[in-house]
Amino acid sequence: MLKKFSIRKIIVASLALIMLVILYLIPGNEEKELELKHDNIEYVYPNNLAVIYLLDSNDYVARTLITSCNCSEVDKAMDLLEGLTIDGKKSNIIPNGFRSIIPSGTSVKNIELDKGVLTIDFSKELLEINSDYEEKMIESIIYTLTNIDGIDKVIIKVEGNVLDRLPHSKKILPTMLNRDYGINKNYELVSMSNIDSYTTYYVNSYNDNYYYVPVTKYINNTNQDKIKVIIEQLSTSPVYESNLMSFLNVNAKLLNYELKDEVLKLNFNNMLLNDLTTNNVLEEVIYTIGLSIGDNFPVKDVIFMVNNEEIYNFSLKSIE
């Protein structure tokens, strides 16, 4: 009996030792194999996102994100133009609720960047744009491409000729296009003199996912303080018009501001805060104000303050 027990102990101990050896060897072999297989691979991360302006379900030109390349300004412009083109190479990754606008079959014949000015020569298919969307197409191209760091202005050509008029309405286009062209235009004019404009970003949603829609308003007043006007627009009513929202509390007041060296400090009362105990501000409030300021003034940072205490620094160069 004792002998059988000893033999059983030896067998169990031997099996345990063999299992330990196997467990030790297997991870080591896998690690060596992985090192050999992945030695020369360049990893591509799916979260390399870029801003693109597409049509939403309400026909607004809206700001959203799309996967893009980590590449030069010109290559990124080409990549995003594929996203703007109907049936383009990136059509399978257009976010739900959005659609491309450049006519199917349009190609880029030539593209070059010189001192911040991107010149794009499109094929003649660009002119086949539906008359209802010709101006929105220009807005979409301008806003998408000037969001790329290093691109400030755009020149649009078709078959080698500068596009100086919209294809259907024949509305005159500036040769050099930038965000002064406006987007989702809204006119509150009583005369054709003393016209000024400003762009404000609002919130919209699709399937409970929020995104941002810029609206350029044209008014007969060149003496208004645009910073104060933007804050008032975002706080006076929760809804600008159908489907567009602002989350800025109606009781939030801009006490004062300071614009210096491309940094804007906005000092509010405590109604800017979403939570008084934690000093939190809603992301939608930060983005609508920050993006609106960035479209109207040459600033790099918008600093949010409450009763002279800094709460948040919104960097326009680092956002997606």
Side-chain angles (χ1 to χ4, degrees), residues 18-37:
I18 292 169
M19 289 299 295
L20 285 171
V21 171
I22 291 172
L23 289 172
Y24 176 79
L25 290 175
I26 288 174
N29 288 338
E30 283 184 349
E31 185 176 356
K32 290 177 182 177
E33 186 178 355
L34 285 170
E35 287 176 356
L36 289 171
K37 283 183 178 179

Side-chain angles (χ1 to χ4, degrees), residues 187-218:
Y187 297 93
E188 294 187 359
L189 300 175
V190 294
S191 72
M192 295 307 295
S193 61
N194 208 27
I195 297 175
D196 197 8
S197 66
Y198 59 92
T199 300
T200 308
Y201 280 73
Y202 296 90
V203 180
N204 209 339
S205 66
Y206 181 83
N207 287 347
D208 298 324
N209 293 316
Y210 292 126
Y211 59 91
Y212 300 94
V213 178
V215 174
T216 302
K217 182 180 287 188
Y218 293 84

Side-chain angles (χ1 to χ4, degrees), residues 145-162:
L145 299 182
T146 56
N147 202 82
I148 300 172
D149 193 23
I151 299 177
D152 304 314
K153 298 178 181 178
V154 177
I155 296 175
I156 297 176
K157 292 183 176 182
V158 176
E159 300 290 344
N161 299 311
V162 173

Side-chain angles (χ1 to χ4, degrees), residues 2-255:
L2 190 59
K3 186 176 180 181
K4 288 182 179 178
F5 180 75
S6 298
I7 292 171
R8 191 179 296 116
K9 269 185 85 174
I10 293 169
I11 292 171
V12 171
S14 299
L15 288 172
L17 181 61
I18 292 169
M19 289 299 295
L20 285 171
V21 171
I22 291 172
L23 289 172
Y24 176 79
L25 290 175
I26 288 174
N29 288 338
E30 283 184 349
E31 185 176 356
K32 290 177 182 177
E33 186 178 355
L34 285 170
E35 287 176 356
L36 289 171
K37 283 183 178 179
H38 297 274
D39 188 42
N40 295 314
I41 289 179
E42 181 181 353
Y43 290 92
V44 178
Y45 295 94
N47 61 345
N48 186 26
L49 301 174
V51 173
I52 188 170
Y53 285 78
L54 298 166
L55 282 177
D56 72 0
S57 58
N58 300 297
D59 279 351
Y60 290 118
V61 181
R63 183 186 192 275
T64 186
L65 300 172
I66 192 172
T67 303
S68 185
C69 59
N70 184 15
C71 49
S72 69
E73 297 94 335
V74 170
D75 288 340
K76 178 158 283 191
M78 282 291 293
D79 189 61
L80 293 178
L81 285 169
E82 288 287 354
L84 292 179
T85 304
I86 299 169
D87 300 324
K89 293 177 182 178
K90 302 181 80 70
S91 59
N92 61 322
I93 59 170
I94 296 299
N96 291 334
F98 296 89
R99 64 191 192 277
S100 305
I101 188 168
I102 294 176
S104 178
T106 303
S107 62
V108 175
K109 301 171 75 69
N110 188 50
I111 185 169
E112 56 186 36
L113 179 63
D114 182 32
K115 297 179 180 178
V117 180
L118 185 72
T119 302
I120 318 155
D121 188 8
F122 290 100
S123 63
K124 62 182 182 300
E125 286 79 8
L126 185 82
L127 303 179
E128 296 174 5
I129 183 70
N130 184 297
S131 60
D132 293 334
Y133 295 108
E134 59 179 358
E135 192 158 19
K136 291 181 180 293
M137 178 181 70
I138 302 299
E139 295 170 2
S140 176
I141 292 172
I142 293 170
Y143 269 69
T144 295
L145 299 182
T146 56
N147 202 82
I148 300 172
D149 193 23
I151 299 177
D152 304 314
K153 298 178 181 178
V154 177
I155 296 175
I156 297 176
K157 292 183 176 182
V158 176
E159 300 290 344
N161 299 311
V162 173
L163 184 67
D164 55 4
R165 292 179 181 271
L166 291 175
H168 300 285
S169 66
K170 303 304 178 184
K171 181 179 177 180
I172 295 175
L173 291 175
T175 299
M176 294 274 193
L177 296 163
N178 58 22
R179 294 195 177 201
D180 290 341
Y181 184 75
I183 187 168
N184 298 312
K185 300 177 179 69
N186 179 271
Y187 297 93
E188 294 187 359
L189 300 175
V190 294
S191 72
M192 295 307 295
S193 61
N194 208 27
I195 297 175
D196 197 8
S197 66
Y198 59 92
T199 300
T200 308
Y201 280 73
Y202 296 90
V203 180
N204 209 339
S205 66
Y206 181 83
N207 287 347
D208 298 324
N209 293 316
Y210 292 126
Y211 59 91
Y212 300 94
V213 178
V215 174
T216 302
K217 182 180 287 188
Y218 293 84
I219 55 175
N220 287 116
N221 190 339
T222 58
N223 297 318
Q224 291 193 88
D225 186 324
K226 287 187 182 180
I227 293 176
K228 291 182 179 179
V229 169
I230 288 168
I231 302 303
E232 288 171 2
Q233 285 288 310
L234 290 172
S235 64
T236 52
S237 60
V239 179
Y240 168 73
E241 57 181 58
S242 177
N243 304 306
L244 297 184
M245 303 171 285
S246 171
F247 290 177
L248 182 60
N249 191 311
V250 67
N251 294 312
K253 303 299 179 185
L254 181 63
L255 304 178

